[in-house]
Amino acid sequence: MRAYQVVDTDASPQWRDVPSPEPGAGEVAVGIAACGLNFADLLMAKGKYQERPPLPFTLGMELAGTVEAVGRDVDALAPGTRVAVFAGHGGLAERGVFPADRCTALPDDMPFEHAAAFQVAYGTAHVALNHRARLCEGETLLVTGAAGGVGLTAVEIGKLMGARVIAAARGQDKLAVAREAGADHLVDIGAEDLRKAVKALGGADVVYDVVGGELFTAALRACRPEARVLVVGFASGEVPRIAANHLLVKNVDVMGFYWGGYAAFRPEVLTGSLATLFDWYSDGRLSPHISHVLPLDRAAEGLELIRDRRSTGKVVITP
């Protein structure tokens, strides 16, 4: 079968013909129907992500498809079951073998493209806002990178949780996408000073920052007393330095957040969150935004769309 693999982190990923895998104990083989791309895939390809699979490995953190075979000791899933898988890697291929406990059965009404775009983006936003920041109804939420994969879902979920949402993104086209997701106020960071704009709106109680760099500093300085600032990512490429005196004066909390990390030390947080999110989807309360659906042989193009910030919401690859 074909797989898009990282052979050397100093070189570009490449297409390779590899044996079709068979499941071992506790594993299932999945025929992959769709794979959602993430900014983390770009980092992983260069060996700069917090998780570094042994080389060579197949890119693609999250996927959806149909169980084709099961290994020993797998009772909860049967061949023919439609599943979403948070695999960490392995999604940009025609077939993959994954731990059964990384698979979630899909609602009957969820297309594979939606399922592949769902777990990381919605899971990150929901666990960050609900579990970590404990966003309350009536509070003001500031989302940076608000038109990207995990930013746009934070706008949508923040609004569902009853917050007033300020969306910050570059350009009116991206801000229009954030408005459709429920944003109450829009800040064009290419034309406006983020700190001044947010303070003019009364400041932020919770900041959901996926950008880092100077934008993080501006958002921090626009916080209200006792605000909570979520460090979700560094799409700008710059890890910010935090002025501790600002935290002291305003009694502000800055908290790191890595969704995938919960799989190792508190997996029930992820499973409980996903159960809620799938219910919301089935009730029509969530609507995944996918700007591009591309075939498997255009996976490199899909990653470039994310690298160049030409996508909104998610990019999905369909083998």
Side-chain angles (χ1 to χ4, degrees), residues 99-124:
D101 60 7
R102 289 289 187 106
C103 301
T104 302
L106 294 179
D108 292 338
D109 57 352
M110 178 177 275
F112 285 127
E113 289 85 356
H114 282 188
F118 197 84
Q119 292 186 101
V120 171
Y122 279 109
T124 295

Side-chain angles (χ1 to χ4, degrees), residues 39 209-216 233-240 309:
F39 185 79
D209 178 54
V210 302
V211 178
E214 294 181 356
L215 211 61
F216 173 92
F234 313 108
S236 67
E238 181 182 347
V239 178
R309 302 179 187 178

Side-chain angles (χ1 to χ4, degrees), residues 1-5 15-18 58 92-95 296-298:
M1 69 172 192
R2 299 183 73 214
Y4 194 55
Q5 293 199 326
W15 289 107
R16 303 181 76 203
D17 290 321
V18 299
T58 301
L92 287 176
E94 295 168 342
R95 191 174 194 251
L296 185 59
D297 60 5
R298 294 173 65 186

